Amino acid sequence: MSPISILHRHRVAALLGAALIISPIVASFAESPNDVRNAVGTTQTPVAGVTAPNGSFAPIVAADKPAVVTVTTVMKGQPDVMSDASPLDGGGSPFDDYFRQFFGDQGMPGPKAPPQQSQRAEALGSGFIVGADGTIVTNNHVIDGASSIKVTLDDGTELPAKLVGRDAKNDLAVIKIKADKPLPTVKWGDSDKLMPGDQVLAFGNPFGIGTTVTSGIVSARGRDLHSGPFDDFIQIDAPINHGNSGGPLVDVSGNVVGINTAIYSPNGGSVGVGFAIPSDQAQKVVAKLMKGGEIEYGYLGVQIQPVTQDVASAIGLDHPGGALVSSVTEGSPAAAAGIQTGDLITGFAGQEIKDPKDLSRAVADVSPGKKETLDVWRNGKAMQLSVDVGRNGDDAQTASVSGDSGAPGNGQGARLPAIGLGLMDITPDIRQQMNLPDNQRGAVVAAVNPDKAAAASGVQPGDIIIAVNQMPVKSARQATQAIAQAGKSGRKSVLLLVERGDAQI
């Protein structure tokens, strides 16, 4: 569902248009339209459309379809842009033969300007009207980079649109048109009530053939595609294709529960694996965008990672949960509030934090400059800290989730056969070889037994252990004693704070 201007680099994207391609290995989609990736994998057969309880979805379609619009954007083309990358551009699309079979050249969508004469590219997407005054919601990637935006209503009326506000992190945008009469609208629904197996309908304009509705079910909730800090997608099996981006996903009551945003596709077309932004997430963002401009996100300045059962056991908790702080950015709001590496954040602004994503979203939703309370578990005790939430710039992340978790080898110095690692002090020679600062303290991992727990946890030779069970250690001996004490106390695991390069895990 990405703008057509990118398709000169990835021809397979012409099959998707407004549908982003998801990599089957890393499940990520491009952060910008110029970075869409081809997908590979095994073709899946989409699930057949489900049937409404009363035998037909016609009443829902009749009520919602008038509020679904087509969004067409124009981008200034670069010299290497292929104008035949989209059916809208009138040539070169993998679907050209299909269209000609049924419509002939006369019915082919889009202008017929020769490629060499075209200096612009058109992108196709969808949207839905949420305000009778002409306020429309769509995806940010549908309008990103547009020099002009046009909206086509369900009755065929074409109107120019202006951009009201956009948010790249959530991939949402609000545009507005002026009409001579109140426009039909759709209502927001409650996506939190959706469960796998619930029936849904997806609206949009695939391939520019006109507003279309497909049916399916919710396949899964809470999908994280690693596309941004707020990933919480609804996975659906209702077919969505090129042009569906920004269209509404509605429940059996006809209320919007999601915004169709991306698909996984090994072959360029729909295979029944689509993703929608939940309405509960989108509605909050849209409300802010309707006020104009871009959204300012709150910022803490911490690196965080998930709490596994082993980590919970190591710090004295009976169950996993919360966000473990692996590092604190110097000079950040978190540092000023007294947050320390090794702290477990269990609550923020009165909201329970169950995992790192909860913290990222909660902090992002707070206006910069606001004072909030953090619930922290430190050294076996619960405590509260007050933090002045900062402003998240383009180069700052609200509360960045670390992709690694680890524990520390088997070599010279202190030996720990139970977990399979060997530690060494930071001697002058080691400090010079590893280019460590003069104030660096801790225990260097000299070797790791591949058959022991440390290796399984991701510890690597060259790691530096700087804390054990949230207590700082300055030498191999201190680290050895702390780990041994954890074993004597009956704990089944030990929490190691490891420094690796410029990161702490």
Side-chain angles (χ1 to χ4, degrees), residues 411-447:
Q412 302 173 0
R415 294 179 179 270
L416 300 169
I419 60 175
L421 58 81
L423 306 178
M424 296 176 61
D425 288 333
I426 301 178
T427 64
D429 287 343
I430 291 178
R431 190 182 304 277
Q432 183 177 8
Q433 291 174 18
M434 298 180 66
N435 196 27
L436 301 176
D438 292 339
N439 61 350
Q440 178 70 63
R441 298 291 183 269
V444 178
V445 176

Short mmCIF file of all heavy atoms in Angstrom, two decimals, residues 411-447:
data_model
loop_
_atom_site.label_atom_id
_atom_site.label_comp_id
_atom_site.label_asym_id
_atom_site.label_seq_id
_atom_site.Cartn_x
_atom_site.Cartn_y
_atom_site.Cartn_z
N GLY A 411 37.44 -19.34 31.11
CA GLY A 411 38.82 -19.06 30.76
C GLY A 411 39.64 -18.66 31.95
O GLY A 411 39.44 -19.15 33.04
N GLN A 412 40.61 -17.78 31.73
CA GLN A 412 41.51 -17.38 32.79
C GLN A 412 40.78 -16.54 33.82
O GLN A 412 39.79 -15.89 33.53
CB GLN A 412 42.66 -16.57 32.19
CG GLN A 412 43.44 -17.36 31.13
CD GLN A 412 44.45 -16.50 30.43
OE1 GLN A 412 44.59 -15.32 30.73
NE2 GLN A 412 45.17 -17.09 29.49
N GLY A 413 41.28 -16.51 35.05
CA GLY A 413 40.64 -15.75 36.10
C GLY A 413 39.61 -16.61 36.79
O GLY A 413 39.77 -17.80 36.95
N ALA A 414 38.49 -15.99 37.18
CA ALA A 414 37.45 -16.70 37.90
C ALA A 414 36.69 -17.63 36.96
O ALA A 414 36.34 -17.25 35.86
CB ALA A 414 36.48 -15.70 38.51
N ARG A 415 36.44 -18.88 37.42
CA ARG A 415 35.72 -19.84 36.61
C ARG A 415 34.37 -20.14 37.26
O ARG A 415 34.29 -20.32 38.46
CB ARG A 415 36.52 -21.15 36.46
CG ARG A 415 37.80 -20.98 35.66
CD ARG A 415 38.57 -22.28 35.57
NE ARG A 415 39.78 -22.12 34.78
CZ ARG A 415 39.84 -22.31 33.47
NH1 ARG A 415 38.75 -22.64 32.81
NH2 ARG A 415 40.96 -22.16 32.83
N LEU A 416 33.34 -20.22 36.42
CA LEU A 416 32.00 -20.49 36.90
C LEU A 416 31.42 -21.65 36.10
O LEU A 416 30.66 -21.45 35.17
CB LEU A 416 31.11 -19.24 36.75
CG LEU A 416 31.61 -18.02 37.51
CD1 LEU A 416 30.84 -16.79 37.08
CD2 LEU A 416 31.46 -18.24 39.01
N PRO A 417 31.82 -22.90 36.45
CA PRO A 417 31.40 -24.05 35.66
C PRO A 417 29.89 -24.25 35.64
O PRO A 417 29.35 -24.79 34.69
CB PRO A 417 32.11 -25.23 36.35
CG PRO A 417 32.38 -24.75 37.74
CD PRO A 417 32.66 -23.29 37.60
N ALA A 418 29.16 -23.79 36.67
CA ALA A 418 27.73 -24.02 36.73
C ALA A 418 26.99 -23.34 35.57
O ALA A 418 26.05 -23.88 35.01
CB ALA A 418 27.16 -23.53 38.05
N ILE A 419 27.42 -22.12 35.21
CA ILE A 419 26.77 -21.44 34.09
C ILE A 419 27.67 -21.40 32.86
O ILE A 419 27.26 -20.93 31.81
CB ILE A 419 26.33 -20.01 34.47
CG1 ILE A 419 27.52 -19.15 34.90
CG2 ILE A 419 25.28 -20.06 35.56
CD1 ILE A 419 27.13 -17.71 35.17
N GLY A 420 28.90 -21.84 32.99
CA GLY A 420 29.77 -22.04 31.83
C GLY A 420 30.48 -20.82 31.32
O GLY A 420 30.53 -20.60 30.11
N LEU A 421 31.06 -20.01 32.21
CA LEU A 421 31.84 -18.89 31.72
C LEU A 421 33.08 -18.68 32.58
O LEU A 421 33.15 -19.10 33.73
CB LEU A 421 31.00 -17.60 31.65
CG LEU A 421 30.33 -17.08 32.92
CD1 LEU A 421 31.30 -16.30 33.77
CD2 LEU A 421 29.15 -16.19 32.55
N GLY A 422 34.08 -18.03 31.96
CA GLY A 422 35.29 -17.67 32.67
C GLY A 422 35.48 -16.18 32.62
O GLY A 422 35.25 -15.55 31.58
N LEU A 423 35.89 -15.58 33.74
CA LEU A 423 35.98 -14.13 33.83
C LEU A 423 37.40 -13.68 34.11
O LEU A 423 38.18 -14.40 34.73
CB LEU A 423 35.05 -13.62 34.94
CG LEU A 423 33.59 -14.04 34.85
CD1 LEU A 423 32.82 -13.49 36.05
CD2 LEU A 423 32.98 -13.56 33.56
N MET A 424 37.72 -12.47 33.69
CA MET A 424 39.02 -11.87 33.94
C MET A 424 38.84 -10.44 34.42
O MET A 424 37.86 -9.77 34.08
CB MET A 424 39.87 -11.87 32.66
CG MET A 424 40.22 -13.24 32.12
SD MET A 424 41.13 -13.12 30.55
CE MET A 424 42.58 -12.22 31.07
N ASP A 425 39.81 -9.97 35.22
CA ASP A 425 39.81 -8.57 35.60
C ASP A 425 40.20 -7.70 34.41
O ASP A 425 40.82 -8.16 33.45
CB ASP A 425 40.82 -8.33 36.73
CG ASP A 425 40.35 -8.90 38.06
OD1 ASP A 425 39.11 -9.00 38.25
OD2 ASP A 425 41.20 -9.24 38.90
N ILE A 426 39.85 -6.43 34.49
CA ILE A 426 40.25 -5.47 33.45
C ILE A 426 41.64 -4.95 33.81
O ILE A 426 41.81 -4.02 34.60
CB ILE A 426 39.24 -4.31 33.35
CG1 ILE A 426 37.84 -4.84 33.01
CG2 ILE A 426 39.68 -3.31 32.28
CD1 ILE A 426 36.77 -3.77 32.94
N THR A 427 42.65 -5.60 33.24
CA THR A 427 44.04 -5.21 33.48
C THR A 427 44.42 -4.07 32.52
O THR A 427 43.70 -3.80 31.55
CB THR A 427 44.98 -6.40 33.24
OG1 THR A 427 44.89 -6.78 31.85
CG2 THR A 427 44.58 -7.59 34.11
N PRO A 428 45.54 -3.41 32.77
CA PRO A 428 45.97 -2.36 31.83
C PRO A 428 46.11 -2.85 30.40
O PRO A 428 45.75 -2.13 29.45
CB PRO A 428 47.32 -1.92 32.41
CG PRO A 428 47.19 -2.18 33.88
CD PRO A 428 46.39 -3.45 33.98
N ASP A 429 46.64 -4.08 30.23
CA ASP A 429 46.77 -4.62 28.87
C ASP A 429 45.41 -4.83 28.21
O ASP A 429 45.21 -4.50 27.04
CB ASP A 429 47.53 -5.95 28.90
CG ASP A 429 49.02 -5.76 29.18
OD1 ASP A 429 49.50 -4.61 29.03
OD2 ASP A 429 49.68 -6.75 29.55
N ILE A 430 44.47 -5.41 28.97
CA ILE A 430 43.13 -5.64 28.42
C ILE A 430 42.44 -4.32 28.12
O ILE A 430 41.77 -4.17 27.10
CB ILE A 430 42.29 -6.49 29.41
CG1 ILE A 430 42.83 -7.92 29.47
CG2 ILE A 430 40.82 -6.49 29.00
CD1 ILE A 430 42.11 -8.82 30.44
N ARG A 431 42.63 -3.35 29.00
CA ARG A 431 42.01 -2.04 28.79
C ARG A 431 42.49 -1.44 27.47
O ARG A 431 41.72 -0.86 26.71
CB ARG A 431 42.34 -1.12 29.96
CG ARG A 431 41.54 0.19 29.95
CD ARG A 431 41.95 1.08 31.12
NE ARG A 431 41.81 0.41 32.40
CZ ARG A 431 40.67 0.32 33.07
NH1 ARG A 431 39.57 0.87 32.56
NH2 ARG A 431 40.61 -0.30 34.23
N GLN A 432 43.82 -1.60 27.21
CA GLN A 432 44.38 -1.06 25.98
C GLN A 432 43.90 -1.84 24.76
O GLN A 432 43.54 -1.26 23.73
CB GLN A 432 45.90 -1.08 26.06
CG GLN A 432 46.59 -0.46 24.83
CD GLN A 432 48.10 -0.42 24.99
OE1 GLN A 432 48.67 -0.97 25.94
NE2 GLN A 432 48.78 0.22 24.05
N GLN A 433 43.88 -3.19 24.87
CA GLN A 433 43.47 -4.02 23.74
C GLN A 433 42.01 -3.79 23.36
O GLN A 433 41.66 -3.77 22.18
CB GLN A 433 43.69 -5.50 24.08
CG GLN A 433 45.14 -5.91 24.19
CD GLN A 433 45.29 -7.35 24.68
OE1 GLN A 433 44.34 -8.13 24.62
NE2 GLN A 433 46.50 -7.70 25.15
N MET A 434 41.16 -3.59 24.36
CA MET A 434 39.74 -3.43 24.11
C MET A 434 39.33 -1.96 23.98
O MET A 434 38.15 -1.65 23.79
CB MET A 434 38.92 -4.10 25.22
CG MET A 434 39.13 -5.60 25.33
SD MET A 434 38.15 -6.37 26.64
CE MET A 434 36.47 -6.11 26.01
N ASN A 435 40.34 -1.07 24.11
CA ASN A 435 40.09 0.36 23.98
C ASN A 435 39.01 0.82 24.96
O ASN A 435 38.06 1.52 24.60
CB ASN A 435 39.67 0.71 22.55
CG ASN A 435 39.76 2.20 22.27
OD1 ASN A 435 40.55 2.91 22.89
ND2 ASN A 435 38.94 2.67 21.35
N LEU A 436 39.20 0.43 26.23
CA LEU A 436 38.23 0.76 27.27
C LEU A 436 38.62 2.06 27.95
O LEU A 436 39.81 2.36 28.10
CB LEU A 436 38.15 -0.37 28.30
CG LEU A 436 37.74 -1.75 27.78
CD1 LEU A 436 37.80 -2.77 28.91
CD2 LEU A 436 36.35 -1.69 27.18
N PRO A 437 37.66 2.84 28.41
CA PRO A 437 37.98 4.08 29.13
C PRO A 437 38.63 3.78 30.47
O PRO A 437 38.50 2.68 31.02
CB PRO A 437 36.61 4.75 29.30
CG PRO A 437 35.62 3.63 29.22
CD PRO A 437 36.20 2.65 28.25
N ASP A 438 39.31 4.76 31.02
CA ASP A 438 40.03 4.58 32.28
C ASP A 438 39.11 4.24 33.45
O ASP A 438 39.53 3.57 34.41
CB ASP A 438 40.84 5.84 32.62
CG ASP A 438 41.98 6.07 31.63
OD1 ASP A 438 42.39 5.09 30.97
OD2 ASP A 438 42.45 7.23 31.53
N ASN A 439 37.87 4.70 33.38
CA ASN A 439 36.95 4.46 34.50
C ASN A 439 36.12 3.20 34.33
O ASN A 439 35.20 2.94 35.11
CB ASN A 439 36.04 5.66 34.69
CG ASN A 439 35.17 5.93 33.47
OD1 ASN A 439 35.37 5.34 32.41
ND2 ASN A 439 34.20 6.82 33.62
N GLN A 440 36.40 2.40 33.31
CA GLN A 440 35.64 1.18 33.08
C GLN A 440 35.93 0.16 34.17
O GLN A 440 37.08 -0.16 34.49
CB GLN A 440 36.00 0.57 31.72
CG GLN A 440 35.27 -0.74 31.40
CD GLN A 440 33.80 -0.53 31.14
OE1 GLN A 440 33.43 0.14 30.19
NE2 GLN A 440 32.95 -1.11 31.98
N ARG A 441 34.86 -0.37 34.78
CA ARG A 441 34.97 -1.39 35.81
C ARG A 441 34.10 -2.57 35.41
O ARG A 441 33.14 -2.44 34.67
CB ARG A 441 34.52 -0.85 37.18
CG ARG A 441 35.37 0.32 37.69
CD ARG A 441 36.78 -0.15 38.05
NE ARG A 441 37.59 0.95 38.60
CZ ARG A 441 38.35 1.75 37.88
NH1 ARG A 441 38.40 1.59 36.54
NH2 ARG A 441 39.06 2.71 38.44
N GLY A 442 34.42 -3.75 35.97
CA GLY A 442 33.63 -4.94 35.71
C GLY A 442 34.50 -6.15 35.52
O GLY A 442 35.70 -6.15 35.86
N ALA A 443 33.90 -7.21 34.97
CA ALA A 443 34.60 -8.47 34.74
C ALA A 443 34.48 -8.83 33.25
O ALA A 443 33.38 -8.89 32.71
CB ALA A 443 34.00 -9.58 35.59
N VAL A 444 35.63 -9.08 32.62
CA VAL A 444 35.63 -9.40 31.19
C VAL A 444 35.36 -10.89 31.00
O VAL A 444 35.96 -11.74 31.67
CB VAL A 444 36.98 -9.04 30.55
CG1 VAL A 444 36.99 -9.42 29.07
CG2 VAL A 444 37.27 -7.56 30.73
N VAL A 445 34.46 -11.22 30.09
CA VAL A 445 34.19 -12.61 29.74
C VAL A 445 35.31 -13.11 28.85
O VAL A 445 35.47 -12.64 27.72
CB VAL A 445 32.83 -12.76 29.04
CG1 VAL A 445 32.61 -14.20 28.60
CG2 VAL A 445 31.70 -12.29 29.95
N ALA A 446 36.10 -14.03 29.36
CA ALA A 446 37.25 -14.55 28.60
C ALA A 446 36.85 -15.69 27.67
O ALA A 446 37.40 -15.83 26.58
CB ALA A 446 38.33 -15.04 29.57
N ALA A 447 35.88 -16.51 28.08
CA ALA A 447 35.45 -17.64 27.26
C ALA A 447 34.07 -18.09 27.71
O ALA A 447 33.66 -17.84 28.84
CB ALA A 447 36.45 -18.79 27.36
#
